[in-house]
Amino acid sequence: MAEGRLMDDEPVIRTHGLTKRYRGGRPAVDRLDLSVPEGSVFGFLGPNGSGKTTTIRMLMGLIEPTSGSARVLGQPMPRAVRGVLPHVGALIEGPALYGFLSGRDNLLRYDAADPTADPRTRRTRVTAALERVGLTAAAGKKARAYSLGMKQRLGLAAALLRPRRLLVLDEPTNGLDPQGMREIRSLVRELASDGTTVFLSSHLLDEIEQVCTHAAVMAQGRLITQGSVAELAAGVRGRLVVTTPDTADAARVLKEQGAGDVSAGDDRVSADPPDRDLAEVNAALVTAGVRVRGFAVERASLEDAFMALTGEGFDVAG
């Protein structure tokens, strides 16, 4: 099979029993079976310390697994690392930059280190990569003067110097302000629409939900679940939300009707829906004199799915 070519329906990334155990501790990654479809934006989700970066370092051939196997673009890693990595762009644990060089000169050096890169078109590639991540105006500034967010952008530009089959991003929006986050998310969508598979690790649930088509959830080194984002959320019933000025009465009636986890706020009461006809619940509210201005079951979010799967809260905003 040609390097970088996949058999029909073969995942871009597949692991089987992938494990990394450090001496004297519990496994950092424990028997991971992961499958990343070609063309997906795949969110690798978990709290800090859940094993995401260790997994990525094994996938990229940077560290050896203790046991198990990993295939990237159809090739075994780390054995085929030289054949695979030219097809992969990666930003892992922040970019390694030369602080005394400008952003542009850093990228020129990165490109020069690629033996397959044509030196005649180097400056064109660097200019295009800088423009794509919004660093054109700062291209002449020394990298040591860059903010953390700008350094993230420059690292992403380095990963985009050449067309890639796979882009691996470890916490790509770390250090970015909300506008920068939106721009990186937009860029990820754009890359995916061009046919690049994007593997994006994050501890931000809303980031995964906004940009990803598929996701896997990690906790304490183990895979909790994986699948399409829509499927993960669809497996969880959404919250019943009642909009009313009579929140105390509404909360009482919902509890009487069998609703769980009832929470009241300003003009709004939410709860886990009871196992009965919701029209009856609405009628009970009206009969009790509650002025119902809104009554609906909101679609379950990835946060709801995570809490249902693990029983734990999650760092939604970072």
Side-chain angles (χ1 to χ4, degrees):
M1 183 170 54
E3 288 176 356
R5 291 290 165 211
L6 295 172
M7 300 287 285
D8 288 345
D9 298 325
E10 183 175 1
V12 168
I13 295 172
R14 183 192 289 282
T15 70
H16 179 68
L18 191 67
T19 299
K20 182 63 178 179
R21 185 187 297 275
Y22 293 103
R23 188 178 301 172
R26 65 174 177 79
V29 177
D30 191 4
R31 293 168 292 177
L32 177 64
D33 294 338
L34 197 64
S35 180
V36 178
E38 187 169 20
S40 64
V41 180
F42 194 98
F44 197 40
L45 178 63
N48 291 327
S50 60
K52 303 189 306 296
T53 296
T54 300
T55 299
I56 289 174
R57 291 174 68 82
M58 286 190 284
L59 292 174
M60 295 294 95
L62 297 172
I63 58 175
E64 290 263 3
T66 305
S67 60
S69 63
R71 295 179 71 84
V72 177
L73 296 176
Q75 302 295 315
M77 294 293 279
R79 193 166 75 236
V81 65
R82 289 190 177 181
V84 169
L85 290 191
H87 303 280
V88 180
L91 176 59
I92 305 172
E93 293 184 319
L97 302 173
Y98 296 98
F100 62 93
L101 293 179
S102 69
R104 177 179 284 106
D105 286 342
N106 264 279
L107 293 189
L108 288 169
R109 185 164 289 199
Y110 268 110
D111 195 77
D114 182 350
T116 66
D118 184 348
R120 293 170 297 181
T121 54
R122 179 161 296 142
R123 289 195 171 274
T124 301
R125 279 194 300 279
V126 167
T127 298
L130 287 165
E131 184 174 349
R132 202 160 199 188
V133 300
L135 278 181
T136 300
K141 184 185 292 188
K142 284 185 167 47
R144 64 169 168 251
Y146 277 20
S147 67
L148 177 58
M150 292 169 71
K151 288 176 180 176
Q152 286 290 97
R153 290 170 186 260
L154 191 60
L156 189 52
L160 295 174
L161 284 168
R162 302 288 302 279
R164 308 292 185 180
R165 296 282 309 285
L166 171 65
L167 189 61
V168 177
L169 306 176
D170 189 14
E171 301 281 358
T173 60
N174 264 3
L176 295 178
D177 59 21
Q179 177 61 28
M181 285 183 168
R182 284 191 291 271
E183 290 170 359
I184 295 300
R185 288 168 182 162
S186 176
L187 177 58
V188 167
R189 293 188 193 100
E190 180 185 322
L191 290 164
S193 70
D194 291 343
T196 302
T197 302
V198 182
F199 184 83
L200 185 158
S201 89
S202 181
H203 67 286
L204 304 178
L205 276 157
D206 57 345
E207 179 163 86
I208 297 294
E209 191 155 28
Q210 287 184 48
V211 79
C212 294
T213 59
H214 296 71
V217 179
M218 293 281 288
Q220 298 183 337
R222 291 189 171 185
L223 180 70
I224 304 297
T225 189
Q226 65 182 316
S228 76
V229 169
E231 287 169 350
L232 293 180
V236 179
R237 199 171 182 190
R239 296 275 288 177
L240 172 62
V241 177
V242 179
T243 307
T244 175
D246 309 314
T247 53
D249 288 336
R252 174 181 54 80
V253 172
L254 289 177
K255 289 176 183 176
E256 291 171 353
Q257 293 293 308
D261 190 22
V262 179
S263 175
D266 293 338
D267 296 327
R268 173 185 165 105
V269 181
S270 68
D272 292 335
D275 292 326
R276 60 184 304 176
D277 188 344
L278 292 182
E280 293 178 8
V281 177
N282 192 22
L285 288 165
V286 174
T287 300
V290 175
R291 292 167 288 177
V292 178
R293 293 175 177 167
F295 186 93
V297 175
E298 292 186 341
R299 182 181 67 85
S301 68
L302 204 53
E303 180 183 6
D304 298 325
F306 181 87
M307 293 184 69
L309 288 162
T310 67
E312 299 177 8
F314 206 84
D315 184 359
V316 179

